[in-house]
Every structure is written in C-alpha cells, then in structure tokens.
Amino acid sequence: MQMISVHGRTRCQFYKGDADWAAVRAVKHAIKIPLVVNGDITSFETALSALEMSGADAVMVGRGAQGQPWLPGQIGRRLETGIVEASPPLSEQLKYIRALYDEVCRHYGLRIGLRHARKHLGWALEIAARCSRAPAATLKTWRGRILTSDDPSGVHRSLQDAFDDFAWSAAA
C-alpha cells in the first residue's frame, strides 16, 4: 500500500508557528493515494480539525504524544466510535511509561537507552504531575532523582514512588 504523510508546517518554521492544515488540502487534491496529515496534533479536537481542514484520510500524532503514549490510541478510538475517554489513571500511566522505558532501553541497549529514555520519562512525569495537580517542587524533586539515575531498577522504584506521591497530591 502506498500513502504519503504531509506535515502542515514548513521546514523554515521548525517548531514555531501553527501547522497549516488547510494548505495540506492542495496536496490531497494533487494525489491519488491516501494522505496522512500531521503537525500540532495534541488532542482529539486538533486531530478532527486537521482532518477536516486538510481533507486527509488519516491523522498522525507526533510530539503531541510526548509523555502520553496512550494519546494516539485514544484519538483513534474516538474517531472510530465517538466515545470520549478520560486520561488514564496514574496507575495506568505508570504502566505505560514503565513499558516504554523498558522498550527504549532494550531497543537502544542500556548505555544509550538510559540516556535516550530520560526525555520520555521527563515528559511522562510532567503529564502525571499535571493530572494530579502535584506542586512544581514535587515534580522537580522527582525529575532530579529519576532523570539522573543510571540504574534501571532504581528508575523503576523511583517511578513507583513518584507516581505514589502524585496520587497523594491528587487525593488531597
């Protein structure tokens, strides 16, 4: 199967400005294969707008999924069924980020994987802290502890402790 993906932002824009999904429509009219639109897809609402404005056949989520690897699935299920899903509870978010951490370390090898996974852990901690309304100081403490660890077992223990701490914030 053939398809093409078009990002609604020019290379000169880098990460600045908004994706121009309407401009992607010209590509859709010029091709005969399925078109996937991406750029600035951070929620169901932005996915729907991108699809409507571009006329694309599908949507791709990139940086919008940082720290929330469940988001593309949520968007896809809502597009398919119309059913609105809440963000997963902290316990489920922890399962997602642990699995992602392990896969990154396995894929890249421990030496490179530990460093590469840190950005994903940082994003996930920010999302969890935001969902739980944890104080900024709490997030900062856990980021410092987790993102500087070179011990996968220690990272897993600290993630559990951090998410437990965030749960306390959510309950307060």
Side-chain angles (χ1 to χ4, degrees):
M1 176 179 192
Q2 293 181 328
M3 73 170 74
I4 188 169
S5 177
V6 177
H7 195 292
R9 188 180 294 114
T10 67
R11 184 170 188 258
C12 295
Q13 285 178 289
F14 291 98
Y15 301 115
K16 295 183 169 59
D18 295 326
D20 184 356
W21 302 315
V24 175
R25 187 173 284 276
V27 177
K28 175 63 180 166
H29 291 305
I31 62 174
K32 303 237 186 294
I33 60 175
L35 175 79
V36 180
V37 64
N38 70 5
D40 296 337
I41 311 298
T42 58
S43 66
F44 169 78
E45 291 75 21
T46 56
L48 192 57
S49 292
L51 287 168
E52 289 171 351
M53 292 175 74
S54 68
D57 302 291
V59 64
M60 179 187 301
V61 181
R63 286 180 295 131
Q66 291 174 335
Q68 44 190 358
W70 57 86
L71 183 64
Q74 270 188 337
I75 291 171
R77 287 187 297 276
R78 185 163 174 195
L79 286 169
E80 188 174 310
T81 67
I83 297 171
V84 178
E85 297 176 20
S87 291
L90 290 174
S91 60
E92 195 173 328
Q93 290 182 32
L94 176 60
K95 288 179 188 174
Y96 277 112
I97 200 58
R98 280 181 155 171
L100 179 61
Y101 175 74
D102 290 342
E103 286 300 318
V104 168
C105 289
R106 197 172 3 265
H107 178 76
Y108 289 102
L110 203 51
R111 188 177 68 78
I112 294 170
L114 286 172
R115 289 182 298 161
H116 186 70
R118 286 179 180 148
K119 63 185 172 187
H120 296 281
L121 294 175
W123 295 324
L125 289 167
E126 289 171 15
I127 296 293
R130 186 176 354 133
C131 288
S132 66
R133 295 181 177 84
T138 302
L139 172 60
K140 184 177 180 179
T141 298
W142 286 115
R143 282 181 58 90
R145 185 176 302 167
I146 294 168
L147 303 185
T148 58
S149 177
D150 288 329
D151 172 33
S153 297
V155 167
H156 275 284
R157 281 190 304 276
S158 291
L159 281 170
Q160 181 67 58
D161 292 344
F163 276 72
D164 287 346
D165 198 3
F166 294 153
W168 276 103
S169 293

